[in-house]
Amino acid sequence: MIILDGKKLAQDLKTELKSEILELKNKGIVPGLSVIIVGNDSASEIYVGNKEKACKEIGIYSEVHGLEEKISEEELLMLIDKLNADEKIHGILVQLPLPSHINEDKIILAIDPKKDVDCFHPENIGRVFLDNLRFLPCTPAGIMEILKKYEIEIVGKNVVIVGRSNIVGKPLALMMINESATVTSCNSKTKNLKDECLKADILISAVGKTGLITADMVKQGAVVIDVGMNRNEEGKLLGDVDFAKVSKISSAITPVPGGVGPMTIAMLLKNTIKAVKIYANRS
Ligand code: NAP
């Protein structure tokens, strides 16, 4: 059984990106990422902090706009307009969720699609659908990269994805279809989750429920990717998969922490460098 070491892969990728950034800096270009966070959600604050740290580590200029919970939609839209026009900012990321008085769809639509490094804008998601990519959604891209680096075949494989969110499950299903997998998408209404999961050569859980995927749901030798990030009462980070038991059945498995999480951040950095190239080639 192989532990799919996302932490190490992310570190390798960051080293590669660091040298690309040095080349850009030699040409006088410093990649810039702007992160907007509204309110004081503690999980969001941790994610934003990790992103900022990763930017610093490889030489991306990053700025965080921490806005008060009560900021109006108009004020937020004005800030996005300003950042869209800011030449030193190549990527813009709005940390979700936003407070309920702000329409998330409207905010995402306001981001220049060429600066949309989270790949949430409908234009960029449409490109994923058409397999005509600009950016890749970070978490699904991180999963694809793990499979690629460990030379895990996707073509013709039964891929079962539990969870259909717009940021993980759904775009991942599209990307797997584009890679010629046979894809099953499961959700909270799926009739017999265990039967569906047992068909998987590659099983991916992106739900957010500790212990959802138990050993009896996994086929012998399957590859298991755990996207879940759940905190228990002691604050310990756990995935959706019963790692101790499932790892005895699977041929390869991602740990939590140290699996998909670090790759998500590495993919955000990769998208930011891609945005610099898009900016340089603009007409
Ligand atoms: P989300 O928007 O809440 O979506 C959860 C999905 O799980 C929904 O599609 C839901 O189905 C489905 N679901 C819920 N209960 C289910 C059940 N019993 N059986 C089958 N499906 C069920 O969550 P998300 O944003 O995709 O995140 C999912 C998890 O991944 C969370 O733990 C999150 O923290 C983590 N995450 C990790 C990373 C990373 O970098 N590692 C990145 C993003 C998210 P319905 O659609 O029917 O409601």
Side-chain angles (χ1 to χ4, degrees), residues 57-74:
E57 197 184 322
I58 66 165
I60 292 177
Y61 164 76
S62 74
E63 55 181 38
V64 176
H65 297 266
L67 308 175
E68 280 184 37
E69 176 97 23
K70 62 178 193 315
I71 191 168
S72 69
E73 193 175 273
E74 288 67 33

Side-chain angles (χ1 to χ4, degrees), residues 13-26:
L13 189 62
K14 281 193 267 184
T15 306
E16 278 171 36
L17 293 175
K18 212 170 173 175
S19 54
E20 274 193 58
I21 290 168
L22 273 178
E23 277 175 38
L24 287 169
K25 283 187 176 166
N26 288 338

